[in-house]
Amino acid sequence: MTGELLSMTGIEKAFGGVPALSGATLAIAPAEIMGLIGQNGAGKSTMIKILNGACARDSGAITFGGQVWTAASPQAAQRAGVSTIFQELNLIPFRSVTENIYLGRELRRFAGLLNWRAMNAGARNLLRRFDIEIDVTQPLGHYSTAIQQMVAIARAVSFDARLVIMDEPTSSLDDAEVAVLLRTVRQLKSEGVSVLFVTHKMDELAQVCDRVTVMRDGQTVAVLPARDSDKLQLVASMLGRDLADVRRSGATAFTKAAAIGEELLDVANVAIAPRVSDASLAIRKGEIVGLAGLLGSGRTETARAVFGADMAARGAIRFNGTATRFRSPQEAIAAGMGFCSEDRKVEGIIPDMSVADNLALALMPALKRSGLLDEAAQRRVVERYIKSIGIKCAGPDQKIRELSGGNQQKVLLARWLAMNPKLLILDEPTRGIDVGAKAEIQALIRDAANNGLGVLMISSELEEIVEGADRVFVLRDGRTVQELARDDITETAVMKAMAHGASVSSQDTAA
Ligand SMILES: Nc1ncnc2c1ncn2[C@@H]1O[C@H](COP(=O)(O)OP(=O)(O)OP(=O)(O)O)[C@@H](O)[C@H]1O
Ligand SMILES: [Mg+2]
């Protein structure tokens, strides 16, 4: 096609003899927002890494702005007009927000001294474009994953890019932040910048993209107009299945609880500095409980306190019939709790270890306690989960960092399920998981619950909470403001409580 800004054709790439891309193509017009979708491991991130020079291709041709394109590194690509926000943030948490934004191109004054004033002002202005007002002199690590993500986006946009690549930019953002991001994407378009937008959320495609490129097993299988394409049609093309088949299988795989047992966890009026002042919730055996709330409402903090990762200043926690006050996650794990965290890079995976070792990590204490490490047993567990969750890997011994983002997430979840806990806390369990695998994972969670597991599920996707939970507690500004029973759980009810805080108990005094 003529008039393309970017054209990638016949892209081939194999890792250790296993093909990741076989003849993939991608074309983006100037000022076009192109969506890129595909199952976990389809090759989306690899395609991007080849474009921005993070990874070398085996063969294929790339032109950008009508010229043959070569980029030796993502930094070089950035200087040449292609800016990437990676799936895994690669900013420096202990440096300030400003430093992260100006990393590698610091502003200097005449004597070569760093011009902090100009940089801080520049950083502030840049973030304001995204409606973010924060202290830019604070270390980036002080802020939530969502803010960090926005800083990464701001940084990428600030390079006068002609093409901005976003690899799952919204997976850790709440609805309001997603809206801000999508607005920024449209603004980029109006300024003549093109955007490549990778996502697993089908709704976002229609909202923001002009066209959608669909990848499957390392190939480009379709390029469709975003607005006129039916969501199910996109999913069908992505999974390589019949439209009718996809239609039949429905949106989520959650089913109703089989039997709900006795009390498993009771959290009463817990306070955790600095944000949570009065959180209460309860979980019974076999029950999936959703914890809803806006970003910053204290969901993760509350969960961390239950798990012994943070100390509650006040309140009582009862687990499995006894009052507890875990001083560390180790104690909580020993008592039968698991916590699958939202940030796989920081708290989750060990990149240089194998899939098997990462998966069996939580099993280690149990296996060691019984005297020896039963390697054969461990191997069986690992193989069973690779199969049941559909983890796409060369085998149990492959290094986990070589897996696609979604498949790393699956290993994390498998790790905790394999431990056979009494209570499992899931913080954004299907973040980064493709729509096909998502249903499988939800079914797996329900299955475990039907065998007595209690689940505390935090998700910024309302749909997941509404369809998956047997009961929902809503937090707002660090307080529990509502408890919803199965029949009362609707998107409207949850949303209303998140925003205004419905009154249900004496705790709900005017905030
Ligand atoms: N460095 C590597 N070494 C070995 N295999 C790799 C490496 N990087 C990617 N792969 C493999 O290439 C395939 C494509 O991975 P890629 O990360 O591009 O998928 P993706 O479409 O981005 O998936 P996701 O939605 O999970 O992010 C996967 O099977 C992955 O295991
Ligand atoms: Mg990816």
Side-chain angles (χ1 to χ4, degrees):
M1 239 203 268
T2 54
E4 299 287 10
L5 173 68
L6 172 75
S7 157
M8 299 175 75
T9 51
I11 307 292
E12 310 261 343
K13 176 73 188 178
F15 291 102
V18 182
L21 295 173
S22 10
T25 63
L26 177 63
I28 304 177
E32 179 177 41
I33 305 173
M34 174 64 85
L36 180 59
I37 62 172
Q39 281 179 275
N40 297 130
K44 304 177 296 293
S45 296
T46 306
M47 198 68 173
I48 287 167
K49 286 179 191 154
I50 283 173
L51 172 59
N52 69 22
C55 169
R57 63 184 182 271
D58 297 338
S59 62
I62 307 178
T63 64
F64 183 72
Q67 317 245 310
V68 172
W69 168 263
T70 46
S73 69
Q75 289 73 30
Q78 204 158 49
R79 284 193 294 272
V82 175
S83 225
T84 313
I85 296 146
F86 288 96
Q87 195 168 9
E88 306 290 350
L89 293 179
N90 51 354
L91 298 178
I92 306 171
F94 55 85
R95 295 272 192 92
S96 75
V97 171
T98 297
E99 282 176 285
N100 271 288
I101 286 177
Y102 283 95
L103 211 64
R105 46 167 184 151
E106 289 80 1
L107 302 181
R108 288 176 194 278
R109 285 191 292 199
F110 52 89
L113 295 171
L114 292 178
N115 190 349
W116 284 114
R117 220 169 128 162
M119 285 193 280
N120 284 332
R124 240 175 262 125
N125 278 334
L126 191 60
L127 288 169
R128 208 163 283 145
R129 255 170 93 180
F130 296 81
D131 283 356
I132 295 179
E133 303 265 356
I134 53 170
D135 182 354
V136 293
T137 63
Q138 289 296 310
L140 183 70
H142 279 196
Y143 296 105
S144 66
T145 316
I147 296 286
Q148 296 187 28
Q149 183 106 12
M150 297 303 264
V151 170
I153 291 165
R155 176 182 157 84
V157 166
S158 70
F159 275 89
D160 290 327
R162 294 173 72 191
L163 172 63
V164 174
I165 302 171
M166 302 184 180
D167 199 347
E168 298 185 44
T170 62
S171 55
S172 61
L173 307 184
D174 72 13
D175 287 351
E177 288 170 318
V178 169
V180 173
L181 175 73
L182 297 185
R183 204 169 67 223
T184 314
V185 168
R186 284 187 211 107
Q187 186 189 330
L188 287 174
K189 177 185 168 72
S190 73
E191 290 168 9
V193 178
S194 303
V195 178
L196 179 61
F197 194 87
V198 183
T199 187
H200 288 295
K201 300 178 186 165
M202 298 294 139
D203 292 330
E204 290 172 358
L205 296 170
Q207 281 180 48
V208 78
C209 295
D210 298 307
R211 288 189 294 167
V212 181
T213 296
V214 185
M215 291 188 68
R216 190 167 72 232
D217 295 334
Q219 294 183 321
T220 304
V221 292
V223 181
L224 302 162
R227 274 175 198 85
D228 312 327
S229 298
D230 172 39
K231 205 162 108 180
L232 288 179
Q233 188 186 342
L234 290 171
V235 173
S237 145
M238 191 179 124
L239 304 180
R241 274 165 43 190
D242 264 9
L243 189 56
D245 182 27
V246 171
R247 208 163 257 148
R248 254 196 318 279
S249 61
T252 94
F254 276 123
T255 48
K256 296 245 153 64
I260 297 203
E262 66 217 42
E263 176 197 287
L264 178 63
L265 178 79
D266 185 73
V267 176
N269 310 103
V270 157
I272 310 134
R275 263 206 298 233
V276 177
S277 55
D278 192 356
S280 300
L281 61 95
I283 303 173
R284 303 169 82 88
K285 291 182 179 160
E287 188 180 33
I288 300 180
V289 168
L291 190 55
L294 298 173
L295 213 88
S297 60
R299 291 168 304 176
T300 300
E301 289 86 344
T302 303
R304 284 175 56 89
V306 169
F307 194 56
D310 287 329
M311 280 313 267
R314 198 162 51 73
I317 300 175
R318 207 169 52 237
F319 178 58
N320 210 25
T322 41
T324 54
R325 198 166 239 281
F326 298 130
R327 277 159 308 175
S328 68
Q330 284 72 27
E331 286 186 17
I333 292 170
M337 268 191 205
F339 190 138
C340 192
S341 88
E342 121 189 79
D343 192 343
R344 63 176 165 260
K345 199 173 183 189
V346 177
E347 300 174 48
I349 66 162
I350 302 171
D352 282 321
M353 274 171 47
S354 69
V355 170
D357 287 343
N358 269 284
L359 205 158
L361 209 60
L363 287 173
M364 301 291 195
L367 291 172
K368 271 207 201 104
R369 221 179 316 127
S370 67
L372 34 120
L373 214 77
D374 185 344
E375 288 201 12
Q378 181 179 320
R379 197 79 182 176
R380 275 196 301 277
V381 172
V382 169
E383 274 163 9
R384 176 155 59 82
Y385 276 99
I386 287 178
K387 215 164 140 230
S388 68
I389 306 198
I391 297 167
K392 192 180 171 200
C393 60
D397 298 319
Q398 189 175 14
K399 288 208 168 72
I400 195 167
R401 67 169 152 78
E402 297 178 356
L403 265 55
S404 79
N407 282 295
Q408 292 182 9
Q409 186 70 16
K410 290 186 199 173
V411 174
L412 268 191
L413 179 65
R415 172 199 294 176
W416 292 108
L417 286 173
M419 223 177 77
N420 212 1
K422 296 186 181 74
L423 172 72
L424 184 55
I425 303 171
L426 299 169
D427 199 350
E428 305 288 350
T430 60
R431 172 178 163 193
I433 304 271
D434 71 60
V435 288
K438 202 166 177 161
E440 282 159 36
I441 285 178
Q442 289 167 341
L444 211 74
I445 293 171
R446 176 55 83 194
D447 241 30
N450 285 344
N451 287 317
L453 175 74
V455 177
L456 181 63
M457 181 170 68
I458 302 175
S459 172
S460 47
E461 281 177 54
L462 261 191
E463 196 183 325
E464 190 160 59
I465 296 242
V466 168
E467 293 182 13
D470 303 311
R471 186 154 49 140
V472 173
F473 289 86
V474 183
L475 280 177
R476 185 175 56 101
D477 297 336
R479 318 160 64 86
T480 298
V481 292
Q482 178 126 51
E483 173 183 343
L484 293 165
R486 177 68 256 179
D487 293 337
D488 303 327
I489 305 171
T490 61
E491 249 177 67
T492 323
V494 177
M495 232 145 63
K496 224 166 120 188
M498 277 174 15
H500 315 298
S503 55
V504 281
S505 70
S506 57
Q507 303 155 19
D508 187 50
T509 51

